[in-house]
Amino acid sequence: MKKIVAIANNTFKEAVRNRVLYVILMFALILIIFSGALGELTIASKFKIIKDLGFMAINLFGVAIAVFVGVSLVYNELEKRTIYTIVSKPIGRWQFLLGKYFGLLLTVGVNVVIMTLFFLATLHFYATQADGDHNLFYLLATSIGKAFVNLFAWSAFTPTQNVMVVIAITFLELAIITAFAILFSSFSTPTLSMFFTVLTFVAGRLNEDIVRFADQIVKNALEAAEAAGMKVHYPLSYYLAMGAAHVVPNLGAFHRTVEQAIYEPSVNIWWIGTVAYGILYTAGILGLAILIFSRRNFK
Amino acid sequence: MGIIETDRLTKIYVRDVIDTEFGKLRIRFTDRKTVALKDLSLDIRQGEIFGLLGPNGAGKTTTIKILMGIHYATSGTARLMGKPLGDRSVKSRIGFLPENPYFYDYLTGWEFLDFYGQLYGMPKKARRAKIEALLEQVGLSHAANRPLRGYSKGMVQRVGLAQSLMNDPEIVFLDEPQSGLDPLGRKEVRDIILSLRDQGKTVFFSSHILSDAEMICDRVGILFKGELRSVGRLGELLNQSTGEWEFVVRGVDEVAMEHWRGRLARLSQVEGDYWAVCKEEALTQEIIRDVVGKGGMLLSLTPRRESLEDYFIREVQGRRS
């Protein structure tokens, strides 16, 4: 365990030196801060706009960090041959890969916390502003203070209730994407890994919709055929597509859980299933990455 | 029983190559095989300095990579300290410095060694004491808090050497430890290797710098195109006498010495003294008698021994032809 922590620690040190990280973070923070201004322009609730944009920013930019920083982490170790001295030490390849994963997850986590703080502060800022006349200094001080309080007491204030639950679920989704970044990075180049990881994210998000859509089309076709008096079966391609849909992560489930947490906070039953699914899926992907990584020759 | 044993170790690299023959409009996927190591059997004893020598591409690094678990052998077996490769308990008793090492350049020398100490599972207190001692040993105490990216090549090599000694290993594997170093750096590395032997450690290193190997090796193995050509003590491998004689004379006039030039293998003048190499014993005696008879003085006379370089060239050229 200590060895995994040592690798993770070193990975974190390496990741925070990546300038791409700061560019991504900057864009995310700008979007979060200005979401309030955007909220002013809409008919819908200002807080809904801030929340929607904030959640989206944390999710998408979190994925961007996992992808852009993550895909080169393992590859760099092989390319620069730093892996040579690591492998010769009394440490298993699985420990090395897990260390890399948790180091990257820590980097993603720290960035999510920073984005969340800005997001919470933005929410508190507009909520306090709507409360009454306050000067700017007071607004800033209380919103930042309340944002920090939220980190420890999740639903301490009205405007930010349920926000932390959403962040936690989002982080779990990011944990899956991070595992994919490590998996692809363990056997292919950064460019290909980036492509594969983004593709997995998009496929994962659209997974449920596509399955539902395909189901409907086939069902309609079968009904039409039966009505015409023909006896037909589900085509093989349908089963293949369904099989593929079960291999690709179902990220839509996280999205649904997030929506549930925001709009129907009283229904909690979804969580447990989604959390279990996220953890098991991540473990599976990491297991596969370890399997591949353990068998390969390094250049 | 040897501390490092390999038995018919073979490594074949397979590369997938796409052959295109546009004339025939044909595309083929073929495997291109390279035999990097062929039936290598070695037996290294405890406490010796063993040098694996050979030209570039001979299979030296491949051998070390297999022993370190970086590559897997295609066939054959190897054992370290009597246990199969990859054994965790063995890994904690060996040290390794790769060729032209590149390390995490954002870490300082201290952090770098501390990181490796953690991989060995050393407690914090032990790490601190060991790092201090090692930085002192490799002469880098002054640069302990500087990031590695500011280190010169020699300094990186030395901190790499320190890294390989972090766990006080019983066997140290060094891949080309002296390549790219200046003469002073090479001497320092040489001294460290010799001090390791004094501490009873086994050193297995690869090199193509033969003069260095000659100075420190107990035994050498000569590898060429993946095959072990010979292995043994230097004294056994090298011809004790080449039949050539080397001498230096002083106080002899130029005309008298130039008279012999045609019959000598080499003749050169260094600050008034003449340095000569002669291939015949009788001729050597004749020249010396002549020089001394003309008032000159014989400063030295030695039979020429074959150097490792001579041997190496003889072996490699013999195989090539």
Side-chain angles (χ1 to χ4, degrees), chain A residues 21-67:
Chain A
L21 184 72
Y22 297 101
V23 175
I24 297 172
L25 186 61
M26 204 181 69
F27 271 110
L29 297 184
I30 288 172
L31 183 67
I32 289 169
I33 291 168
F34 287 100
S35 62
L38 219 60
E40 301 276 3
L41 304 175
T42 54
I43 306 168
S45 156
K46 187 199 295 174
F47 291 103
K48 184 178 180 329
I49 298 294
I50 298 175
K51 277 186 181 176
D52 282 352
L53 276 176
F55 289 139
M56 186 200 76
I58 292 171
N59 192 308
L60 290 187
F61 288 102
V63 169
I65 289 169
V67 170

Side-chain angles (χ1 to χ4, degrees), chain A residues 200-246:
Chain A
T200 308
F201 174 67
V202 174
R205 266 301 174 85
L206 297 178
N207 197 341
E208 279 192 336
D209 293 336
I210 292 175
V211 167
R212 208 177 304 127
F213 188 58
D215 233 10
Q216 200 56 50
I217 287 179
V218 173
K219 228 174 241 167
N220 288 348
L222 289 183
E223 274 171 14
E226 265 171 24
M230 287 155 64
K231 200 168 166 61
V232 281
H233 298 284
Y234 275 62
L236 179 68
S237 57
Y238 172 79
Y239 291 107
L240 287 177
M242 285 299 142
H246 281 89

Side-chain angles (χ1 to χ4, degrees), chain B residues 19-28:
Chain B
D19 282 336
T20 47
E21 294 175 59
F22 289 109
K24 296 175 186 168
L25 281 175
R26 186 202 286 169
I27 299 176
R28 275 189 313 173

Side-chain angles (χ1 to χ4, degrees), chain A residues 151-164:
Chain A
L151 280 189
F152 304 100
W154 285 22
S155 43
F157 309 102
T158 324
T160 53
Q161 253 171 10
N162 303 314
V163 163
M164 295 306 278

Side-chain angles (χ1 to χ4, degrees), chain A residues 21 37 39 86 103-104 113 129 159 166 168 181 186 223 243 249 260 282 288 298:
Chain A
L21 184 72
I86 304 275
L104 178 59
V113 167
Q129 196 186 35
V166 178
S186 67
E223 274 171 14
Q260 211 119 37
T282 306
L288 186 63
F298 303 126

Side-chain angles (χ1 to χ4, degrees), chain B residues 222-249:
Chain B
I222 305 225
L223 212 53
F224 184 62
K225 285 192 175 169
E227 284 184 64
L228 188 68
R229 302 298 185 177
S230 47
V231 59
R233 296 196 161 273
L234 280 172
E236 296 161 7
L237 290 180
L238 306 181
N239 283 335
Q240 285 307 311
S241 170
T242 55
E244 291 184 343
W245 294 81
E246 190 181 305
F247 60 86
V248 183
V249 291

Side-chain angles (χ1 to χ4, degrees), chain B residues 19-308:
Chain B
D19 282 336
T20 47
E21 294 175 59
F22 289 109
K24 296 175 186 168
L25 281 175
R26 186 202 286 169
I27 299 176
R28 275 189 313 173
F29 292 89
T30 48
D31 294 341
R32 193 162 291 169
K33 290 182 178 169
T34 316
V35 180
L37 202 61
K38 199 175 165 193
D39 292 333
L40 176 74
S41 295
L42 281 174
D43 187 1
I44 316 295
R45 291 153 218 161
Q46 186 162 6
E48 73 175 344
I49 300 182
F50 185 87
L52 194 59
L53 312 176
N56 294 333
K60 308 184 293 287
T61 298
T62 302
T63 308
I64 293 186
K65 278 182 181 172
I66 292 173
L67 292 176
M68 291 299 98
I70 297 165
H71 283 186
Y72 295 118
T74 309
S75 65
T77 55
R79 294 172 86 80
L80 296 178
M81 300 176 191
K83 293 194 171 157
L85 295 182
D87 188 286
R88 206 71 82 76
S89 68
V90 171
K91 280 187 171 184
S92 59
R93 288 154 66 196
I94 60 173
F96 169 50
L97 171 68
E99 183 183 8
N100 296 328
Y102 178 90
F103 298 121
Y104 307 100
D105 59 5
Y106 47 87
L107 297 179
T108 65
W110 183 284
E111 288 171 337
F112 169 73
L113 292 177
D114 193 54
F115 171 58
Y116 281 95
Q118 287 177 52
L119 296 187
Y120 280 117
M122 292 167 72
K124 199 168 184 178
K125 216 171 173 182
R127 291 203 302 267
R128 187 182 301 170
K130 191 68 188 171
I131 293 169
E132 264 174 30
L134 280 174
L135 285 173
E136 181 73 35
Q137 191 183 351
V138 299
L140 284 176
S141 300
H142 64 284
N145 295 318
R146 260 166 45 196
L148 296 191
R149 91 179 78 88
Y151 277 28
S152 70
K153 193 167 183 186
M155 289 162 85
V156 169
Q157 193 79 0
R158 279 186 281 162
V159 83
L161 204 56
Q163 158 282 132
S164 72
L165 303 175
M166 221 18 228
N167 56 332
D168 207 7
E170 289 167 48
I171 316 175
V172 188
F173 291 87
L174 308 171
D175 194 1
E176 302 276 2
Q178 288 154 316
S179 75
L181 296 185
D182 58 22
L184 194 68
R186 272 159 52 189
K187 186 189 175 304
E188 283 169 358
V189 170
R190 207 162 59 216
D191 289 345
I192 292 173
I193 294 176
L194 287 172
S195 78
L196 291 177
R197 182 177 52 187
D198 294 342
Q199 294 164 36
K201 300 184 192 308
T202 309
V203 181
F204 182 100
F205 82 99
S206 79
S207 183
H208 62 258
I209 303 174
L210 301 175
S211 55
D212 289 327
E214 195 169 7
M215 274 185 245
I216 53 179
C217 285
D218 294 310
R219 285 198 310 148
V220 295
I222 305 225
L223 212 53
F224 184 62
K225 285 192 175 169
E227 284 184 64
L228 188 68
R229 302 298 185 177
S230 47
V231 59
R233 296 196 161 273
L234 280 172
E236 296 161 7
L237 290 180
L238 306 181
N239 283 335
Q240 285 307 311
S241 170
T242 55
E244 291 184 343
W245 294 81
E246 190 181 305
F247 60 86
V248 183
V249 291
R250 177 178 289 175
V252 58
D253 72 86
E254 205 174 328
V255 182
M257 208 58 212
E258 286 300 327
H259 165 71
W260 298 106
R261 182 176 286 276
R263 298 172 69 184
L264 287 168
R266 269 190 211 164
L267 179 67
S268 52
Q269 198 178 9
V270 187
E271 294 174 8
D273 297 342
Y274 279 98
W275 173 81
V277 176
C278 181
K279 286 189 169 170
E280 297 163 47
E281 193 177 330
L283 181 64
T284 308
Q285 285 177 339
E286 192 184 337
I287 297 172
I288 289 170
R289 265 200 304 273
D290 177 61
V291 167
V292 174
K294 286 175 178 162
M297 183 168 72
L298 179 68
L299 292 182
S300 74
L301 173 66
T302 45
R304 277 195 99 189
R305 266 189 57 191
E306 187 179 45
S307 68
L308 191 54

